[in-house]
Amino acid sequence: MLAIRNIAQLVLVPPGPISGLDMGRRAVVEVLPDAALLVGDGVIHWFGPDSECNPPVGAAVETVDAQGGCVIPGLIDCHTHTVFAGSRESEFVQRIEGRSYAEIAESGGGIRVTVEAVRGADVDQLVELALPRLRRMLANGVTTVEIKSGYGLTVADELKMLEAIRRLATIQPIELVGTYLAAHTTPREFADRPDAYLDLVLDDAVLARVRDEGLAEFCDVFCERTAFDVAQSRRVLTTAKAFGLTPKLHADQITQIGASRLAAEVGAISADHLETIDDAGMAAMKRAGCVAVLLPGCSFFLGVGQAPARRLLTADLPVAIATDFNPGSAMIESLPQVMGIACTQMHMTPTEVLTATTANAAAALNRHDRVGAIRVGMQADLVILDAPSHDRWMYEQGRSGVRTVIKRGVVVA
Amino acid sequence: MLAIRNIAQLVLVPPGPISGLDMGRRAVVEVLPDAALLVGDGVIHWFGPDSECNPPVGAAVETVDAQGGCVIPGLIDCHTHTVFAGSRESEFVQRIEGRSYAEIAESGGGIRVTVEAVRGADVDQLVELALPRLRRMLANGVTTVEIKSGYGLTVADELKMLEAIRRLATIQPIELVGTYLAAHTTPREFADRPDAYLDLVLDDAVLARVRDEGLAEFCDVFCERTAFDVAQSRRVLTTAKAFGLTPKLHADQITQIGASRLAAEVGAISADHLETIDDAGMAAMKRAGCVAVLLPGCSFFLGVGQAPARRLLTADLPVAIATDFNPGSAMIESLPQVMGIACTQMHMTPTEVLTATTANAAAALNRHDRVGAIRVGMQADLVILDAPSHDRWMYEQGRSGVRTVIKRGVVVA
């Protein structure tokens, strides 16, 4: 049994999804001062005032002194592309110099750089490249991470990426969630023949293998004018759903073509990005109970406008926040840094941002019954902060501020 | 003697000031591949191709293996308020919630919170609070930091802050530069009597003590509609200049009242902020050789517009970048994070940002003959990056990426 004592504030995030108007309410996200918490069998066994903390008689108790720090649920990064190869700093510099995406693509840049590098790497190499990224994520307090395929763009290379994610899940403490994103973009070999490419990656045998080997829980598609249109995206998601893969979408990022409405239509668990979402999309998502996953690190990294977070919150949608960590548009692996961007650039309060990266991020990954909240019986994924409150922690930007990370009741960082 | 071997890229930043049009030019900021560097007596003794590295026969040589990392000059944070007490996260949250500065001040927030806390602290306490901040700055590759007074707002409390800076300079490796900013704002006791307050802090005996005890090299003033007007600011800077304190200004941050023109008029070494600078201000600063110090972390933290960096660069002004680290408007202590903000939000290239935080930051602190550049004879303040180039380092945001920090030839982090 593990006892965490001397907690200045225990932030009692409730299980997700939490709708937008409730996300910042202290009546919903209660804070218990001078608290303690007991963990048994990897789950939260008890919490309450430190003065009332009485571990069961006879139990072997390991005590962690929070030293007056704040305790929050382990952070959940529910949208990443953490498995990749190669580096694209030249594109980063060219974009700053004012080159357009088309110019960058013409000079050999863009996603194809990553696709070539991933195709040239084997599973071992992809694992070796991702491992230090995940170690740093863990040190930042992140205990669950979703990772998408999407840089292979052949059946074999997409499955290779999912295989790397599955192997990574077994050799480090972060819980990983695989998403099949073969429909990230049409590969060059299929230029002007996107449907022929989709025929391959949506083949029954391929989807059955993804399902039977547990390679992915979700299927994602980049629904955008420059990628797959609404009809193609509908085909991707409904086909995959028949094989048990829950739909997700890259929606409304650059142009408004109805992707968020499609998310509602197909029963997607989340629609992600939403920089250009309109009222119809919001209303449809609200009715469908679809989580709005915002990616402020991407807009920040690209130097473009942010998604309308406050409008989404006012529309009472459950909002989640993730890094979108990827080598092209969001080379920012730190979820705490992205949370700071959400505070300052999206005008979300620290409490809203905390629920967006715990309870609601868990909901976007269909794990809200188990992680992202502090309740008796929930998995003991916990972070002890080097700050007495989560407000203080998010205010003090540019430093880690994470003291201890606990995954399933075990101190892992 | 110290030898740094196996350097993938040695970035040969020239001594500052470097004017805007030259800051990003690779002909000016040359890169030496596969390099080595020798340090003797705390200065750069030699650099060149690793294959030609021959330490003097008989010399005791300690070798540091850069392991294929990039080497840059130690970073210089030329505008900070690192010495302070108290915390203002409630104001951070209120601002996100949409409260105005006036409302926040009415509810007891704003700079007065920090002033009260600093007045209530003694030198020991101010030192103890600042020390961990400086340790983290050092770990981020920062080897020189300017720190301002300005939260005491009585003669005794201002001198106490400068005393804390002087003591901090002796107990940790970062070289500290003190700036006298008694004219930060008018204290409440002198509301509506700013000139009476200035009478006290500009008293001959006070300025003579600051000079004679080496408590500060610079005098700064917040020249702004809500602080000190142009005439008052002129008085502050010319009076202090007569006592050997070089002028600096907080200029053109919120409103345009001619502060940057005043900077040129009084021969200020730098004008800092410049969010609202106009063409006349730029022209005057260019003629006067005044360094433009931009503070992108402040605008980011406040969620407001950035200074017109590209216009300043095109106008060929030497541009520097600093954190403005302070508990009210820029609670971001990480200069590398602020450099990332400069890249993505101000559209400055990594090379421009590097010169802005080395050679030109040194010029803003009148140390460009000694630090901020990689040349034989310059002080050996160096950073070994966990990246093969500075482009790669600034592209990979959200992680430290600093492997080794060397101050005056000694490995300090």
Side-chain angles (χ1 to χ4, degrees), chain A residues 24-371:
Chain A
R25 288 180 56 213
R26 284 295 171 111
V28 174
V29 186
E30 290 181 283
V31 169
L32 187 68
D34 304 319
L37 186 147
L38 295 175
V39 175
D41 296 328
V43 301
I44 298 174
H45 179 77
W46 174 90
F47 59 81
D50 194 72
S51 58
E52 297 174 15
C53 180
N54 296 304
V57 177
V61 178
E62 176 197 354
T63 299
V64 173
D65 185 350
Q67 297 177 276
C70 172
V71 170
I72 58 173
L75 301 175
I76 298 170
D77 197 344
C78 66
H79 180 138
T80 89
H81 306 255
T82 302
V83 167
F84 62 87
S87 182
R88 285 159 65 183
E89 68 268 23
S90 64
E91 180 180 334
F92 175 68
V93 176
Q94 288 177 331
R95 191 165 48 235
I96 292 169
E97 291 172 340
R99 312 263 184 92
S100 69
Y101 190 84
E103 289 173 301
I104 289 167
E106 275 164 30
S107 70
I111 191 172
R112 82 165 70 158
V113 173
T114 304
V115 171
E116 292 305 317
V118 165
R119 287 180 178 176
D122 61 22
V123 173
D124 288 348
Q125 290 167 320
L126 292 177
V127 166
E128 193 182 350
L129 287 165
L131 205 50
R133 298 170 193 147
L134 290 168
R135 285 211 191 96
R136 292 188 297 262
M137 287 172 154
L138 186 71
N140 281 329
V142 178
T143 51
T144 304
V145 172
E146 186 256 21
I147 307 179
K148 302 176 195 296
S149 70
Y151 294 126
L153 304 187
T154 69
V155 167
D157 290 307
E158 287 294 308
L159 294 177
K160 178 178 73 181
M161 288 189 71
L162 294 178
E163 177 62 33
I165 297 165
R166 187 168 62 176
R167 194 180 303 171
L168 283 161
T170 66
I171 59 173
Q172 53 76 51
I174 297 179
E175 178 173 345
L176 300 184
V177 183
T179 293
Y180 185 53
L181 178 61
H184 198 185
T185 188
T186 301
R188 273 200 291 169
E189 307 84 58
F190 287 85
D192 306 319
R193 293 185 298 135
D195 294 298
Y197 171 65
L198 292 182
D199 290 344
L200 290 181
V201 295
L202 298 177
D203 181 80
D204 281 3
V206 174
L207 293 174
R209 185 170 159 201
V210 171
R211 175 194 61 199
D212 295 342
E213 296 186 10
L215 287 170
E217 294 177 41
F218 301 96
C219 179
D220 196 346
V221 59
F222 190 13
C223 182
E224 180 60 65
R225 212 175 287 279
T226 53
F228 296 97
D229 66 22
V230 169
Q232 289 162 337
S233 299
R234 183 184 289 114
R235 177 189 168 200
V236 169
L237 297 176
T238 54
T239 306
K241 193 176 182 180
F243 284 83
L245 298 179
T246 303
K248 274 182 175 289
L249 279 88
H250 283 64
D252 300 354
Q253 182 186 3
I254 306 164
T255 59
Q256 176 49 248
I257 61 169
S260 47
R261 276 169 283 152
L262 176 65
E265 176 196 322
V266 301
I269 196 161
S270 74
D272 303 24
H273 272 294
L274 306 179
E275 286 84 345
T276 69
I277 192 168
D278 57 8
D279 289 343
M282 285 191 214
M285 283 177 63
K286 175 67 185 166
R287 279 193 302 273
C290 183
V291 177
V293 178
L294 307 184
L295 308 167
C298 176
S299 295
F300 171 83
F301 193 79
L302 296 175
V304 300
Q306 294 285 353
R310 292 243 61 90
R311 277 175 57 215
L312 289 158
L313 291 164
T314 304
D316 210 22
L317 271 83
V319 171
I321 287 172
T323 59
D324 193 19
F325 178 43
N326 79 78
S329 62
M331 191 64 188
I332 310 185
E333 64 187 20
S334 165
L335 186 54
Q337 181 170 337
V338 168
M339 291 164 77
I341 296 171
C343 286
T344 60
Q345 310 304 299
M346 286 181 155
H347 308 291
M348 288 177 67
T349 67
T351 302
E352 288 170 340
V353 170
L354 182 65
T355 51
T357 49
T358 53
N360 283 355
L365 297 180
N366 196 27
R367 279 161 164 67
H368 45 294
D369 60 337
R370 184 159 56 80
V371 294

Side-chain angles (χ1 to χ4, degrees), chain B residues 74-88:
Chain B
L75 301 175
I76 298 171
D77 197 343
C78 66
H79 180 136
T80 88
H81 306 255
T82 302
V83 168
F84 62 86
S87 182
R88 285 158 66 183

